[in-house]
Amino acid sequence: MDADVIVVGAGLSGLVATAELAEAGKSVLLLDAEPIQSLGGQAHWSFGGLFLIDTPEQRRLGVRDCEELALADWYGSAGFDRDEDYWPRKWAESFVHFAAGDARSWLHGLGVRWFPLVQWAERGGYATPGHGNSVPRFHVTWGTGPGLVEPFANQVLASPRVRLRNRHRVTGLAAGADGVTVTGSVLSPSDAPRGVRTERTEVGGFTFSAQAVVIAAGGIGGNLDLVRKNWPRVWGEPPKNMIIGVPDYVDGSMLEVAQAAGARVINPDRMWHYPEGIVNHSPVWTRHGIRILPGPSSLWLDAEGRRLPAPLFPGFDALGALRAITAAGHDHSWFVTDVETVGKEFALSGSEQNADLTGKNLRLLAGRVAPGPTPEVRAFLDHGVDFLTAQTVAELAVKMNQLTPDHRIDPDVLRQTIELRDLQVGSGLGKDPQITAITAARQFVVDKLMRVVPPHTLLDRKHPGRAGTGGPLVAVRLHVLTRKTLGGLETDLDGRVLVPGGDVLPGVYAAGEAAGFGGGGLHGYRALEGTFLGGCLFSGRTVGRSLAGALA
């Protein structure tokens, strides 16, 4: 045999599993179709947010959290309701226990640190036990995605027990009582920068065998054909126009290889895409989009200029907003706000969109609490095709209609919508649930400091229809942005891949997004933010440790 274990995929879950196996004394052959410069996969591009429970960072901010509350939030979001949810539910319970237990101490021991101001992503806004986090749990890694990948990549690259083979694309898998065999193509060398689409020219083939294989090759988010094929029809038809939040190599091909070998994929119609996507002004991969991480104050309008229903406010229920937009037959929506709100409430997901946190630069970080947008948000205001500014509502409506001529925005209706919203703000109290939510959000010190602008009118009372003191009006066209696969290969709690009927596929394990982050879909229908990276860490560690024990 060529190694004790073959790991397919050098993203975060694959690196974690490899590091655990190597530390346990097992030899590992790590295969990846991309060049070495893409080590770490999607995690490198991430904001680095982790779902953690009852941490010192939370307690210093006066946040009272516990495992029981987090699990209730998880169940309220997941909505498990299928026979196939047996293992996903087990994995969900185990993950929440991990997030409340030794997740932080384990990572801290590896040198990982966090931005001290815990964020509150996906508030939900529904009556319990509905979707959303009851308290802030989104811990941003100091160094963002690269800072989280680094300790595991360093372990793997330094280990004499690991052989890394880039540009090796697995196309076949055979499992039996005597071990596993993987076959595939050796691809031509590539010096393409990280994330850029690489050629798939074959220059040779390979066959490797081992006692076991770990499938950690990600999901389908970069493959629009598969996204459309698996699109849940309760969301309406998949949009004709979507942008993509992951590199091209996230194509689902390894899921098909595993299925051909007998593995069972469950919950393929469960997926996680964002409705707040914007076209990247400096794209890296095909149809490259960026997600806005919004505060709660912008008006969220559909393609025809109507407000989305409560509680579909920015930052409350992304998947619920997506469903409302696509079920109406639309492929875009709008944020309407002003420059003051953009400056305080617009953040961007991605390591490359947060130079201060990624570069661990305290001087740049200080700008987060200063007036005005971050440099990255400013770049989109100045150069982004989806960002429009105007001094009057009428001018803004003209620009919106020029950008999306198939869906007309009535300037009079737009002005009335803004004026009615401003009346609620001006009252000091009001009945509008979004205004109430903004007021409630500012009770949390982090939101008041850096994420939620003080309520103010968007229009000038003395000059009707013109922008108020918050600066020019802003409209942002929002696209559907593909991102994550919530279903995947069905696994037991050791990460062993199952076949239809529930038996184990001998020697085959799965971790990360390929396994629906564990069990074939531990998130159910909806995910709480910070659980994708966390799911990669947990499933990679679980598989690495259980497999090391099984081979002992």
Side-chain angles (χ1 to χ4, degrees), residues 4 17 37 61 74 111 188 300 315 368 381 391 441 456 472 533:
D4 292 324
Q37 53 268 32
L61 295 169
W74 193 289
S188 60
W300 200 340
R368 294 264 173 176
L381 272 169
Q391 290 294 339
H456 63 280
L533 290 173

XYZ file of all heavy atoms in Angstrom, residues 4 17 37 61 74 111 188 300 315 368 381 391 441 456 472 533:
130
model
N -1.013 4.644 4.904
C -2.080 4.146 5.774
C -3.428 4.737 5.338
O -4.438 4.039 5.308
C -1.801 4.536 7.230
C -0.601 3.813 7.809
O -0.397 2.631 7.475
O 0.153 4.438 8.577
N -7.846 16.668 9.288
C -7.809 15.206 9.360
C -6.394 14.685 9.147
O -5.932 13.777 9.864
C -8.756 14.606 8.314
N -0.308 26.498 -4.205
C -0.655 27.849 -3.760
C -2.119 27.975 -3.331
O -2.507 28.976 -2.733
C -0.329 28.890 -4.827
C -0.907 28.632 -6.203
C 0.026 27.864 -7.116
O 0.804 27.036 -6.645
N -0.034 28.151 -8.410
N -18.148 40.750 27.359
C -19.121 41.674 26.790
C -20.484 41.576 27.472
O -21.450 42.202 27.034
C -19.282 41.390 25.291
C -18.036 41.648 24.429
C -18.242 41.077 23.030
C -17.732 43.143 24.364
N -30.081 25.898 17.538
C -29.721 25.023 16.419
C -30.951 24.265 15.917
O -31.234 24.228 14.722
C -28.632 24.040 16.848
C -28.002 23.332 15.687
C -28.567 22.372 14.895
C -26.693 23.560 15.164
N -27.692 21.968 13.927
C -26.541 22.683 14.062
C -25.638 24.395 15.528
C -25.352 22.631 13.324
C -24.467 24.347 14.796
C -24.332 23.486 13.708
N -2.421 28.204 18.708
C -2.006 29.570 18.393
C -3.080 30.443 17.786
O -2.800 31.588 17.420
N -1.573 19.028 -15.596
C -0.387 19.813 -15.927
C -0.086 20.819 -14.827
O -1.003 21.331 -14.174
C -0.594 20.549 -17.245
O -1.712 21.424 -17.166
N -34.779 46.964 2.769
C -34.550 45.847 1.850
C -35.783 45.736 0.962
O -36.887 45.413 1.439
C -34.317 44.560 2.620
C -33.627 43.496 1.807
C -33.545 43.407 0.441
C -32.907 42.375 2.314
N -32.817 42.309 0.064
C -32.418 41.652 1.195
C -32.631 41.895 3.592
C -31.672 40.489 1.325
C -31.890 40.741 3.724
C -31.414 40.040 2.603
N -29.416 41.107 7.890
C -28.735 40.484 9.014
C -29.621 39.642 9.906
O -29.182 39.230 10.987
N -12.165 50.913 12.012
C -13.499 50.302 12.095
C -14.468 51.139 12.929
O -15.682 51.081 12.701
C -13.395 48.909 12.723
C -12.633 47.894 11.902
C -13.537 47.040 11.070
N -12.797 46.170 10.167
C -13.351 45.274 9.382
N -14.654 45.136 9.370
N -12.617 44.526 8.579
N -18.093 51.267 -3.352
C -18.861 52.492 -3.585
C -18.361 53.217 -4.822
O -19.144 53.767 -5.611
C -18.755 53.412 -2.368
C -19.765 53.222 -1.241
C -19.356 54.025 -0.018
C -21.166 53.635 -1.690
N -28.427 62.276 -4.998
C -28.829 63.272 -4.007
C -30.341 63.321 -3.819
O -30.820 63.871 -2.838
C -28.327 64.657 -4.428
C -26.815 64.823 -4.343
C -26.288 64.756 -2.909
O -27.044 64.971 -1.945
N -25.003 64.460 -2.765
N -31.013 46.294 18.721
C -29.649 45.899 18.376
C -28.625 46.802 19.046
O -27.557 46.349 19.471
C -29.471 45.928 16.853
N -31.848 57.425 12.088
C -31.934 58.786 11.553
C -32.733 58.745 10.263
O -32.866 57.705 9.629
C -30.542 59.365 11.292
C -29.752 58.610 10.262
N -29.071 57.439 10.549
C -29.559 58.835 8.933
C -28.478 56.987 9.455
N -28.768 57.812 8.451
N -25.353 61.312 0.608
C -26.091 60.849 -0.566
C -26.845 59.562 -0.287
O -26.424 58.731 0.528
C -24.985 60.622 -1.616
C -23.859 61.492 -1.177
C -23.924 61.508 0.323
N -16.905 26.839 8.894
C -15.520 26.599 9.304
C -15.481 25.683 10.526
O -14.658 24.773 10.608
C -14.827 27.924 9.620
C -14.522 28.839 8.435
C -13.992 30.174 8.933
C -13.531 28.203 7.485
